[in-house]
Amino acid sequence: MNTVKENSKAAFNQQAATYDKDIKGQHARSLYPVLLEKLSHIPFQSALDLGCGTGEMLKLILQKDPHKELCGIDLSEEMLAVAKSKLPEQVKLLLGDSEALPFPDNAFDVVYCNDSFHHYPAPQNVLREVNRVLKPGGTFLMGDCWQPFVGRVIMNFYMRHSKEGDVKIYSEAELVSMLSAYFYNVSWEQVGNTACIAMCEKMIDIHSLIF
C-alpha cells in the first residue's frame, strides 16, 4: 500500500471515535442531507458506500427504508468498527481498497462516495471499478470538497505535504472530464462554499437488450 493510503488509514483510524461529532467530520456531515435528497429521486434497491467511514450515511438510508440492500467499504479498521456498532448485520461492511472492489460485476444499482474522492491517489482506477460493479443504467453519486480557483491552488499546494492522505481538490472541469471517461449523463453542482455534488450513470449495453 502506498504512503498516501497508509496516511489516510492512520488518520481515519485516529479520528474514528469522534468523527461523528467533531470538526474533522463536519464537512462530510454537511453533505449527508444533500446526498440523501439526491438518492430520494433515484429508484434503487442495492447500494455501495465507497469510503463508508462510520456508516452514518448507511444508517440514514436504512432509516428511510429498512429493506435496502446496503454494503460499505473502507480502508480504516476503526471507522468500520464504529459503523458495525451502529448498523444491523444485514449491512455488509468490508475492509478494502476502492481501487480493487471485492464485488462481482453489475452488483449495485447505486454507488455513492462522500468526502473521500480527494483521498484517492489513482482516481481513474477507482472510477473504473465503480463502473464495473454498477449495474447498466446504475448511478454513481459523489459529494466532495471544492474550492474556487485561488483557494484550490493554495489547498492543493499544501495537500502535497499532507500527512492525512489528502491528494487533490478537483475543479468542475477536471471532475466532469474524469467521470465522462467512464460514465454518461454527468452533472456537477456547487454546494455551499466548500463542496460539490457530481452524478452520472453507467451506460446500458444495447447488445444485452432483448427486443
Side-chain angles (χ1 to χ4, degrees), residues 4-204:
V4 170
K5 293 179 186 178
E6 290 288 1
N7 286 345
S8 286
K9 186 174 187 175
F12 284 116
N13 276 340
Q14 187 175 24
Q15 296 168 21
T18 56
Y19 192 81
D20 285 335
K21 296 178 181 178
D22 71 12
I23 194 169
K24 290 290 189 181
Q26 186 175 347
H27 193 268
R29 292 195 300 273
S30 72
L31 285 169
Y32 294 161
V34 185
L35 292 171
L36 287 169
E37 199 278 331
K38 294 291 185 186
L39 287 171
S40 71
H41 299 289
I42 302 169
F44 72 96
Q45 180 58 29
S46 58
L48 169 63
D49 188 326
L50 207 63
C52 65
T54 64
E56 191 65 20
M57 267 293 293
L58 292 164
K59 177 184 171 183
L60 294 170
I61 292 170
L62 275 187
Q63 286 175 352
K64 290 181 176 291
D65 185 348
H67 302 295
K68 297 290 189 192
E69 299 164 15
L70 303 178
C71 295
I73 187 166
D74 203 276
L75 206 60
S76 162
E77 299 94 341
E78 296 301 323
M79 284 286 195
L80 286 175
V82 175
K84 287 175 182 177
S85 73
K86 69 170 75 167
L87 291 166
E89 288 187 3
Q90 75 188 71
V91 180
K92 188 176 182 180
L93 297 170
L94 297 174
L95 183 70
D97 189 332
S98 295
E99 289 185 42
L101 296 174
F103 303 103
D105 297 355
N106 309 323
F108 299 99
D109 300 315
V110 166
V111 176
Y112 66 88
C113 173
N114 185 36
D115 226 24
S116 62
F117 195 77
H118 64 279
H119 284 277
Y120 298 146
Q124 288 86 355
N125 293 348
V126 176
L127 294 176
R128 189 180 300 114
E129 277 292 271
V130 170
N131 181 279
R132 182 183 66 78
V133 302
L134 266 178
K135 294 177 183 178
T139 298
F140 178 44
L141 175 64
M142 181 204 309
D144 209 57
C145 303
W146 178 83
Q147 288 283 331
F149 177 75
V150 174
R152 195 165 61 247
V153 170
I154 294 169
M155 292 287 288
N156 285 337
F157 174 79
Y158 284 106
M159 278 186 173
R160 286 186 235 162
H161 311 286
S162 171
K163 302 299 184 185
E164 296 190 350
D166 299 294
V167 175
K168 186 177 181 181
I169 294 176
Y170 299 97
S171 68
E172 174 184 356
E174 287 172 325
L175 202 50
V176 168
S177 177
M178 275 195 289
L179 292 171
S180 297
Y182 298 93
F183 304 95
Y184 81 109
N185 202 19
V186 178
S187 65
W188 182 99
E189 63 184 276
Q190 183 181 335
V191 179
N193 295 319
T194 62
C196 66
I197 293 282
M199 191 159 56
C200 50
E201 298 173 40
K202 178 176 176 175
M203 190 72 73
I204 297 173

